[in-house]
Amino acid sequence: MTDTIQRVRKAVFPVAGLGTRFLPATKSMPKEMLTVVDKPLIQYAVEEALEAGIEQIIFVTGRGKAALEDHFDISYELEMTMRERGKSLAAIENIRQKPGSPVYVRQQEPLGLGHAVWCAREIVGDEPFAVLLPDELMVGSPNFLAQMVAAYSRVGGNVVGALEVPDSETDKYGIISPGRVDGRLTEVTGLVEKPKGKAPSNLMIPGRYILQPEVMRVLDNPVRGAGGEIQLTDAMAQLIGRQPFHGYTFNGARYDCGDKAGYIQANLALALARDDIGPAVRDFARGLLNDVGRG
Ligand code: G1P
């Protein structure tokens, strides 16, 4: 790239989804508030973004999502009562964001991920931005977005997460047509959302993106794609050949918390990794597995 590579300061979190896969849990609670051990999914994603150097958090939200806004606000009664009782505020102190962030915009209708991201266009403006899908929980050090930002600072353009999945699962995701491979970076030569029939590869996009603002101009003229929805993947595909475009393979663990089995696995893995509850959970899980083994 001859152009200077602009820093990524803003991150968009599409959180307007209905969460029908987790009913009845998500009937009156946003699916992004589902907890893994003791923290809601959205907080993991926001912390990942802040650790990666993001300064402006943008939520694309919808009706029935007020709990998300409250989570990142001051909880006056709670904090006052805890202070009066001499209790530590450590667990909630860092959640509150700086004044003016997050910004909330609404997606009035569930028209697809591309449409959700486009709803943030006025706040994103004319600069590169990240997108994080909070139901994809990523655990690694440095975290996934931080690794992507580091790769982006070398190659610029667009960088999306890339992860291998079994052939049987390619129809659930955005799939990359891979070009030249250089370490963890793979050149993207094509993109297809939820391919029917033979997929171009088994490299999927696990909900992490660094995108140039031109994708918003593509989304100004939306096209309905897979499932009749306005797909981010289709809009991104329009940028290939016009701008650098790479996939970045994450060095860490991924939990698909949009799926019940993945969500339980995340809870188990993160609980086992904890010093406070890990030993108790480990003993219990061992006993349970032994019982199952004995039939
Ligand atoms: C979305 C994206 C897809 C991506 C996936 C990751 O699909 O459209 O490209 O691979 O998230 O979880 P959804 O899960 O909303 O169907």
Side-chain angles (χ1 to χ4, degrees):
M1 287 247 327
T2 47
D3 299 349
T4 46
I5 295 171
Q6 236 185 314
R7 206 159 67 82
V8 188
R9 301 188 308 126
K10 302 183 178 183
V12 176
F13 297 76
V15 291
L18 294 174
T20 50
R21 274 195 274 175
F22 274 88
L23 286 170
T26 49
K27 184 163 177 277
S28 65
M29 181 183 79
K31 65 171 176 164
E32 298 79 12
M33 289 301 290
L34 286 169
T35 54
V36 172
V37 186
D38 52 9
K39 211 192 274 186
L41 283 170
I42 187 65
Q43 197 182 330
Y44 287 96
V46 166
E47 287 176 357
E48 180 182 332
L50 294 174
E51 275 171 35
I54 297 295
E55 295 164 7
Q56 173 79 79
I57 302 294
I58 305 164
F59 287 132
V60 180
T61 177
R63 291 177 293 280
K65 298 277 183 169
L68 281 169
E69 303 192 17
D70 291 341
H71 187 70
F72 291 95
D73 200 349
I74 298 175
S75 180
Y76 188 76
E77 295 80 359
L78 178 69
E79 290 179 27
M80 198 178 65
T81 311
M82 287 175 76
R83 254 188 220 107
E84 274 171 12
R85 294 183 185 166
K87 288 200 176 4
S88 162
L89 294 179
I92 53 170
E93 249 162 12
N94 298 329
I95 302 172
R96 196 194 309 159
Q97 301 300 302
K98 60 177 192 229
S101 181
V103 171
Y104 298 90
V105 293
R106 279 200 179 202
Q107 182 190 25
Q108 287 91 346
E109 293 173 272
L111 298 179
L113 181 59
H115 180 258
V117 169
W118 180 76
C119 287
R121 67 198 178 283
E122 300 292 348
I123 318 287
V124 165
D126 194 24
E127 57 180 290
F129 62 102
V131 178
L132 294 95
L133 306 188
D135 54 6
E136 294 274 4
L137 174 55
M138 303 292 176
V139 182
S141 182
N143 72 45
F144 198 173
L145 190 65
Q147 291 180 30
M148 285 174 57
V149 166
Y152 164 81
S153 69
R154 289 188 278 122
V155 293
N158 304 274
V159 178
V160 296
L163 192 102
E164 274 189 31
V165 288
D167 290 348
S168 58
E169 290 183 23
T170 50
D171 61 349
K172 294 202 302 190
Y173 299 112
I175 302 292
I176 294 171
S177 295
R180 213 167 49 85
V181 179
D182 178 11
R184 296 194 167 274
L185 278 173
T186 301
E187 197 190 342
V188 175
T189 60
L191 288 168
V192 54
E193 179 69 17
K194 302 189 174 71
K196 295 197 179 96
K198 194 164 162 40
S201 77
N202 56 359
L203 215 50
M204 66 79 122
I205 306 175
R208 295 293 182 279
Y209 311 80
I210 293 173
L211 300 174
Q212 295 300 316
E214 285 75 16
V215 77
M216 297 295 195
R217 302 293 72 78
V218 178
L219 287 163
D220 286 339
N221 298 300
V223 176
R224 301 271 179 160
E229 295 188 346
I230 299 164
Q231 297 290 355
L232 181 61
T233 306
D234 296 341
M236 293 189 305
Q238 299 296 315
L239 302 179
I240 298 168
R242 290 164 50 188
Q243 299 176 334
F245 212 123
H246 294 89
Y248 177 85
T249 310
F250 179 44
N251 181 13
R254 173 228 178 197
Y255 302 98
D256 179 3
C257 292
D259 170 79
K260 281 176 202 166
Y263 175 68
I264 301 295
Q265 286 162 10
N267 269 288
L268 193 56
L270 270 63
L272 288 172
R274 289 260 298 241
D275 291 337
D276 53 351
I277 57 169
V281 176
R282 187 168 302 115
D283 287 349
F284 175 77
R286 265 205 203 105
L288 203 62
L289 292 171
N290 283 343
D291 289 349
V292 172
R294 275 197 292 271

